[in-house]
Amino acid sequence: MSRIGVLVVDDSVVVRRMVSEALSADPALEVLGTAPNGQVALNKLDQLAPDCVVLDIDMPVMDGLETLRRIRISRPHLPVVMFSTLTERGASATLDALALGASDYLPKPANVTNAPEAIAVVQAQLAPKIVALCGRPFAPRLAPATAGEAVAAPAASSQGRVDVVVIGASTGGPGALETILPALPADLPVPVLVVQHMPPMFTRLMAQRLDKHCALDVREATHGSVIQPGQVLIAPGDRHLTIARREVHVYVKLTADPPENFCRPAVDPLFRSAAEVYGPGTLALVLTGMGNDGRRGSAAVYSRHGRVIAQDAATSTVWGMPGAVVGAGLADRVLPLDQMADVLLAAVADGRSDFRPPAPRPARPLAAGGQP
């Protein structure tokens, strides 16, 4: 199988060299060339025909956002990974890039004291993203249970009342959330809890961004707060979001427990706690993302007779997380992204005489390449 060709775009000679060395060490990847700014990168696209572009944001002549806009006009499905500084300005610009159609992002290594360490960090984090985004064929693999952990067997799910919606997402998730959450009405009678794999600061800015476009109240979750209907709570970066019941109230419990599936926040702790608190009233959505985070949590939801909906492969940026759930036989339904909000609303309305969801919207046809 031919290697994946990558174009590295960054105004820093040191960064271009570091990223090139890190990616070239992976046998699945080949660095076809580099560029110091977006204008040079655009001129090299036809010449090099890369399978993926690694793109800095702050550059002279043409910055990353303008470069991305132009790439999306001529090559709407070319994978682009933003490589930005871990600052508030960099995080905000990265979210802008994701809204413009960037496939994924990676903050540049921070607090790294030497070049070999930085190269190792980039190789470990960036190379798998590129391989996943470039669509090498794979079969969803189920991660084995860790010592002492039992994965619940699926049970027949119910179609009863929904009391909470929990959502897990990773690669491509911000765009998916921007499709689903703004379609939910302000009078939604249940809370929505979200885990999106993101570092601190990114999650806060994403919550603020979503809040501006949603009828629901969207905010980053805070420890000890009581969850309310009509509210969307997003797990803060570097903290697991779980919930617990205290008498008649259910409240947020943020933890610094060890990462699960190499992630913190991780989807599995949220799904497990929701299944424990709400049982059959849990509706779980597993959206686009790398890896298999959410698979064990979905097993917990299913074993308590809750419902699990997985995003389909055609509309997923990476069909890792939802593919693992489908491969394990845990998904009640597998849906394209643009049908998820309507199905969610119909499920929440079932058994409630006081809530009528908006009329379903007509499904949009998929463009070439399977993206909505």
Side-chain angles (χ1 to χ4, degrees), residues 77-224:
H77 305 304
L78 176 65
V80 177
V81 180
M82 308 307 296
F83 195 50
S84 62
T85 55
L86 188 57
T87 63
E88 181 150 348
R89 182 168 176 265
S92 179
T94 299
L95 291 172
D96 289 339
L98 293 171
L100 288 170
S103 310
D104 203 355
Y105 71 97
L106 181 69
K108 293 181 179 179
N111 302 319
V112 174
T113 57
N114 58 74
E117 184 181 355
I119 290 170
V121 169
V122 172
Q123 183 182 3
Q125 297 183 8
L126 183 57
K129 289 178 182 286
I130 294 173
V131 172
L133 287 167
C134 289
R136 290 295 186 255
F138 73 100
R141 292 183 298 175
L142 306 183
T146 56
E149 178 188 7
V151 177
S157 65
S158 72
Q159 297 298 314
R161 175 186 173 107
V162 170
D163 295 309
V164 69
V165 176
V166 290
I167 302 176
S170 185
T171 309
L177 293 171
E178 288 193 8
T179 296
I180 295 172
L181 296 180
L184 305 181
D187 62 346
L188 190 74
V190 300
V192 180
L193 308 173
V194 178
V195 167
Q196 165 69 49
H197 294 163
M198 271 188 167
M201 181 167 42
F202 282 74
T203 49
R204 173 175 57 81
L205 293 174
M206 185 181 70
Q208 293 171 358
R209 184 186 191 98
L210 285 167
D211 188 58
K212 294 177 181 178
H213 297 95
C214 294
L216 295 167
D217 173 28
V218 184
R219 63 181 67 180
E220 199 174 47
T222 56
H223 184 74

Side-chain angles (χ1 to χ4, degrees), residues 122-339:
V122 172
Q123 183 182 3
Q125 297 183 8
L126 183 57
K129 289 178 182 286
I130 294 173
V131 172
L133 287 167
C134 289
R136 290 295 186 255
F138 73 100
R141 292 183 298 175
L142 306 183
T146 56
E149 178 188 7
V151 177
S157 65
S158 72
Q159 297 298 314
R161 175 186 173 107
V162 170
D163 295 309
V164 69
V165 176
V166 290
I167 302 176
S170 185
T171 309
L177 293 171
E178 288 193 8
T179 296
I180 295 172
L181 296 180
L184 305 181
D187 62 346
L188 190 74
V190 300
V192 180
L193 308 173
V194 178
V195 167
Q196 165 69 49
H197 294 163
M198 271 188 167
M201 181 167 42
F202 282 74
T203 49
R204 173 175 57 81
L205 293 174
M206 185 181 70
Q208 293 171 358
R209 184 186 191 98
L210 285 167
D211 188 58
K212 294 177 181 178
H213 297 95
C214 294
L216 295 167
D217 173 28
V218 184
R219 63 181 67 180
E220 199 174 47
T222 56
H223 184 74
S225 61
V226 176
I227 67 173
Q228 305 284 349
Q231 185 180 66
V232 180
L233 298 179
I234 295 178
D238 202 36
R239 289 293 181 268
H240 292 307
L241 169 60
T242 64
I243 57 176
R245 186 179 295 278
R246 181 186 298 151
E247 298 176 348
V248 298
H249 296 297
V250 178
Y251 66 97
V252 170
K253 183 179 178 183
L254 301 179
T255 78
D257 291 344
E260 295 192 28
N261 310 303
F262 308 103
C263 301
R264 188 172 64 203
V267 177
D268 281 343
L270 172 61
F271 281 20
R272 287 197 304 266
S273 66
E276 183 176 345
V277 170
Y278 287 103
T282 306
L283 173 61
L285 274 59
V286 183
L287 306 181
T288 173
M290 286 175 54
N292 54 33
D293 189 23
R295 195 264 299 176
R296 290 190 180 93
S298 294
V301 171
Y302 208 29
S303 70
R304 297 291 186 99
H305 303 278
R307 276 170 275 183
V308 179
I309 298 174
Q311 186 174 347
D312 69 357
T315 63
S316 293
T317 303
V318 177
W319 205 56
M321 287 167 48
V325 170
V326 174
L330 297 167
D332 293 273
R333 301 186 68 174
V334 183
L335 297 173
L337 178 62
D338 62 359
Q339 293 182 23

Side-chain angles (χ1 to χ4, degrees), residues 7 9 37-39 41-42 45 52-59 62-84 92-105 133 209:
L7 174 62
V9 187
N37 61 64
Q39 185 63 64
L42 293 174
L45 284 181
C52 182
V53 175
V54 177
L55 184 60
D56 187 21
I57 290 179
D58 289 321
M59 297 181 292
M62 183 182 293
D63 67 14
L65 293 181
E66 180 59 29
T67 306
L68 178 62
R69 289 188 186 96
R70 299 195 185 193
I71 290 175
R72 281 292 165 258
I73 292 171
S74 61
R75 294 169 173 80
H77 305 304
L78 176 65
V80 177
V81 180
M82 308 307 296
F83 195 50
S84 62
S92 179
T94 299
L95 291 172
D96 289 339
L98 293 171
L100 288 170
S103 310
D104 203 355
Y105 71 97
L133 287 167
R209 184 186 191 98

